[in-house]
């Protein structure tokens, strides 16, 4: 009975789980590019290591090692890979660190000082970033685990007291190796928990697209890593800014991601596009009114000729009034995605009227328009763009079949007016695009769009338009060095 109850609860939870409108997959193909950029960032972070002064006494010799700085990181072997369930792991083996420090030696009344170069050999680092969803739906580095060790130190002492330094080198290098071991992991912890999270803060979660509509890219659950990829599911829903709490129920097919040949794949369901069109519909944007000179001259003459019988019966003061052509979408358009292509179905009213100055407008006719548009999606940089083309068009009267027959001569001119006057304005707005969830400084290149039944996928490679350091410095929280130190994890326990 308990097993049946647990099964029932699981089924109910699955039935009420929110379906994503957008999915993203980062494949192992991207990791080499990410690793190269990440290692440059890691080298710059290791250069910020601050090692305390090392003082000591051996017999009558007093020594002081200070101003220790990491100057370079030399890699022999490094690997970046996914680790189930939520981790990204960086493994560095047999690397070396170049160092420079100031030496001071006092023996009775004899003093020696200067700067010297040293190296830390056999450096091994293993750090794992755990990725999760925070309370706002944003992807975050929620934990950083780290192990680091330095096998040996070497310092090339010279000068008058070279023999003395060589005698003391065992104490000096052992102490420096111990202190260096203690500093690597706290630096990496800060880099992950603070600096990388500041980069992830640039990923849009809930933002405005324009003055009417916003988009919600909240993660619906924690990212899931396998051996070969990292998958993320987003709400992927538009909403009218005036109704921030409104949401369209998602009854579309859930997008699926199967490929792994490209660096990144993004999938959008029909719901993603339907929520955009319904949001603009609710915001009152899907209507157009052309009055007077805005109506093409040839169409104006044709409409006046078509409704001549109605116009001549009007008052002489109204007959020569400007013509008004109004298009108003009657219901939210709907998107259909098939392997053969993507279409958008629109139903709108077309109202023709005369607009005399300082008088109520006089309606000549009202008809219904059904249109089918083909939609071509493209990804440029970080913007998903759409190009629409009018494919099918018909007008008819809701009042009588006879009046619908009388409207046939208007069909071709109205279609031409839509293609020449309306579609360019619509495409100009659509071509601005909407940003997809990607950090600042990273763009998509070499995109390939593939249609499926109910959703489409876009495969692409990544390009760093800006370095990680540049983006992080721009978004770095103020005074982080002081704020993270008390909460940093203990240094690596690897033996020094």
């Amino acid at each position: 009975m308990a097993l049946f109850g647990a099964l029932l609860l699981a089924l109910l939870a699955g039935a009420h789980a929110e379906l994503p409108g957008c999915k993203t997959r980062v494949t192992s193909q991207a990791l080499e590019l990410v690793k190269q950029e990440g290692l440059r960032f890691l080298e710059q972070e290791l250069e910020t290591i601050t090692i305390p002064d090392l003082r000591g006494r051996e017999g009558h010799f007093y020594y002081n090692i200070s101003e220790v700085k990491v100057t370079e990181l030399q890699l022999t072997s490094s690997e970046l890979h996914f680790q189930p369930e939520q981790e990204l792991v960086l493994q560095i083996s047999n690397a070396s660190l170049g160092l420079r420090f100031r030496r001071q030696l006092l023996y009775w009344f004899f003093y020696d000082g200067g700067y010297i170069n040293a190296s830390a050999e056999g450096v091994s680092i293993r750090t794992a970033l755990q990725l999760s969803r925070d309370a706002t739906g944003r992807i975050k580095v929620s934990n950083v685990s780290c192990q680091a060790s330095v096998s040996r130190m070497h310092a090339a002492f010279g000068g008058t007291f070279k023999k003395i330094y060589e005698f003391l080198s065992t104490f000096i290098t052992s102490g420096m190796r111990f202190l260096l071991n203690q500093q690597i992991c706290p630096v990496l912890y800060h880099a992950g928990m603070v600096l990388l999270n500041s980069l992830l803060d640039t990923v849009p979660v809930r933002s405005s697209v324009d003055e009417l509509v916003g988009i919600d890219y909240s993660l619906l659950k924690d990212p899931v890593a396998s051996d070969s990829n990292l998958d993320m599911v987003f709400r992927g829903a538009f909403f009218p800014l005036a109704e921030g709490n409104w949401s369209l129920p998602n009854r579309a097919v859930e997008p699926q991601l199967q490929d792994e040949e490209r660096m990144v794949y993004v999938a959008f369901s029909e719901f993603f596009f339907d929520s955009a069109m319904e949001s603009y519909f609710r915001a009152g944007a899907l209507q157009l009114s052309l009055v007077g000179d805005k109506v093409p001259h040839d169409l104006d003459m044709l409409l006046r000729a078509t409704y001549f019988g109605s116009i001549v019966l009007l008052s002489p003061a109204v007959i020569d009034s400007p013509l008004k052509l109004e298009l108003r979408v009657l219901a939210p358009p709907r998107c259909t995605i098939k392997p053969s292509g993507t279409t958008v179905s629109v139903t709108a009213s077309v109202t023709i009227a005369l607009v005399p100055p300082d008088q109520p407008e006089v309606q000549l006719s009202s008809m219904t328009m059904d249109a089918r548009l083909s939609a071509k999606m493209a990804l440029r940089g970080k913007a998903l763009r759409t190009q629409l083309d009018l494919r099918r068009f018909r007008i008819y009267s809701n009042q009588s079949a006879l009046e619908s027959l009388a409207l046939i001569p208007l069909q071709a001119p109205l279609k031409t007016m839509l293609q020449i006057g309306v579609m360019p304005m619509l495409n100009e707005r659509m071509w601005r695009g909407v940003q997809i969830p990607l950090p600042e400084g990273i763009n998509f290149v070499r995109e390939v769009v593939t249609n499926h039944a109910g959703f489409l996928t876009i495969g692409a490679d990544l390009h760093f338009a800006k370095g990680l350091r540049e983006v992080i410095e721009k978004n770095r929280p103020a005074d982080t060095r002081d704020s993270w130190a008390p909460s940093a994890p203990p240094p690596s326990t690897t033996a020094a």
Side-chain angles (χ1 to χ4, degrees), residues 23-28 30 82 226 228-232 234 256-260 262-267 444 458 460:
K23 286 185 176 182
T24 299
R25 165 171 289 179
V26 181
T27 72
S28 56
F82 297 116
S226 67
S228 57
N229 56 63
L230 177 72
D231 287 344
M232 292 167 281
F234 301 91
Q256 303 296 323
L257 290 170
Q258 304 294 337
D259 298 327
E260 297 182 355
R262 308 300 289 272
M263 292 185 182
V264 180
Y265 289 89
V266 186
F444 286 145
I458 302 177

Side-chain angles (χ1 to χ4, degrees), residues 61-128:
F61 295 98
Y62 294 85
Y63 60 88
N64 181 36
I65 303 299
S66 60
E67 302 178 27
V68 182
K69 300 291 184 184
V70 176
T71 58
E72 63 175 339
L73 171 65
Q74 293 184 348
L75 298 176
T76 302
S77 174
S78 63
E79 180 187 6
L80 181 66
H81 65 272
F82 297 116
Q83 177 172 292
E85 297 279 333
Q86 299 166 236
E87 290 192 335
L88 185 63
V89 178
L90 174 64
Q91 182 82 43
I92 296 175
S93 303
N94 200 28
S96 63
L97 291 173
L99 301 104
R100 181 175 174 80
F101 59 87
R102 183 186 181 192
R103 72 181 193 274
Q104 293 172 294
L105 178 67
L106 181 63
Y107 176 69
W108 292 100
F109 300 106
F110 298 98
Y111 171 82
D112 179 64
Y115 288 88
I116 192 169
N117 295 323
S119 62
E121 307 291 342
V123 178
S124 296
I125 301 173
R126 185 187 188 278
T127 183

Side-chain angles (χ1 to χ4, degrees), residues 402-435:
L402 186 61
E403 186 173 349
S404 295
L405 291 174
L407 295 175
I408 292 177
L410 294 177
Q411 183 131 330
L414 282 175
K415 183 177 181 180
T416 301
M417 186 271 295
L418 289 174
Q419 290 174 324
I420 296 177
V422 177
M423 296 305 297
M425 291 189 297
L426 186 59
N427 278 324
E428 181 183 1
R429 188 164 191 167
M430 299 290 288
W431 200 245
R432 299 173 194 169
V434 57
Q435 184 177 348

Side-chain angles (χ1 to χ4, degrees), residues 185-433:
C185 281
V187 167
L188 296 184
Y189 182 84
H190 173 262
M193 295 298 293
V194 178
L195 301 184
L196 287 183
N197 274 331
S198 71
L199 174 69
L200 295 177
D201 284 340
T202 65
V203 178
V205 174
R206 190 175 175 90
S207 58
S208 61
V209 176
D210 51 31
E211 68 279 4
L212 297 174
V213 167
I215 189 166
D216 188 342
Y217 278 126
S218 301
L219 277 172
L220 297 181
K221 59 182 181 180
D222 290 334
V224 177
S226 67
D227 292 331
S228 57
N229 56 63
L230 177 72
D231 287 344
M232 292 167 281
V233 294
F234 301 91
R235 179 168 288 119
F238 292 78
F239 60 92
L241 293 177
E243 305 176 67
N245 294 324
W246 174 85
S247 62
L248 178 69
N250 186 354
R251 300 184 178 91
V253 174
E254 182 175 354
Q256 303 296 323
L257 290 170
Q258 304 294 337
D259 298 327
E260 297 182 355
E261 289 78 17
R262 308 300 289 272
M263 292 185 182
V264 180
Y265 289 89
V266 186
F268 301 96
S269 72
E270 292 175 345
F271 166 79
F272 180 86
F273 303 101
D274 285 346
S275 68
M277 293 182 289
E278 179 135 353
S279 296
Y280 280 107
F281 176 79
R282 296 177 71 92
L286 302 185
Q287 53 185 314
L288 176 67
S289 182
L290 304 176
V291 181
D293 295 339
K294 297 296 183 181
V295 180
H297 180 68
D298 293 344
L299 181 60
D300 185 288
M301 293 180 59
L302 179 62
L303 291 174
R304 289 181 186 274
T306 301
Y307 297 103
F308 179 77
S310 300
I311 292 175
V312 296
L313 299 177
L314 300 174
S315 167
V318 176
I319 290 177
D320 294 327
S321 298
L323 194 71
K324 176 182 178 181
L325 180 64
E326 183 180 71
L327 286 78
R328 184 184 297 271
V329 175
L330 299 176
R334 285 292 176 257
C335 174
T336 303
I337 302 176
K338 296 180 179 179
S340 57
T342 302
T343 59
V344 177
S345 300
V346 184
T347 300
S349 66
V350 181
T351 302
I352 302 168
L354 292 175
V355 188
D358 302 323
Q359 295 184 43
E361 65 181 48
V362 179
Q363 181 173 309
L364 299 178
S365 178
S366 179
M367 63 196 83
T368 301
M369 175 191 77
D370 283 343
R372 180 167 293 181
L373 313 175
S374 66
K376 184 177 181 180
M377 312 302 174
L379 197 57
R380 296 293 182 270
K382 282 195 286 280
L384 176 65
R385 297 173 174 176
T386 305
Q387 180 79 24
L388 298 175
D389 188 23
L390 182 61
R391 291 299 185 187
R392 293 178 54 186
F393 172 85
R394 76 181 183 102
I395 53 175
Y396 58 91
S397 172
N398 291 324
Q399 299 180 5
S400 68
L402 186 61
E403 186 173 349
S404 295
L405 291 174
L407 295 175
I408 292 177
L410 294 177
Q411 183 131 330
L414 282 175
K415 183 177 181 180
T416 301
M417 186 271 295
L418 289 174
Q419 290 174 324
I420 296 177
V422 177
M423 296 305 297
M425 291 189 297
L426 186 59
N427 278 324
E428 181 183 1
R429 188 164 191 167
M430 299 290 288
W431 200 245
R432 299 173 194 169

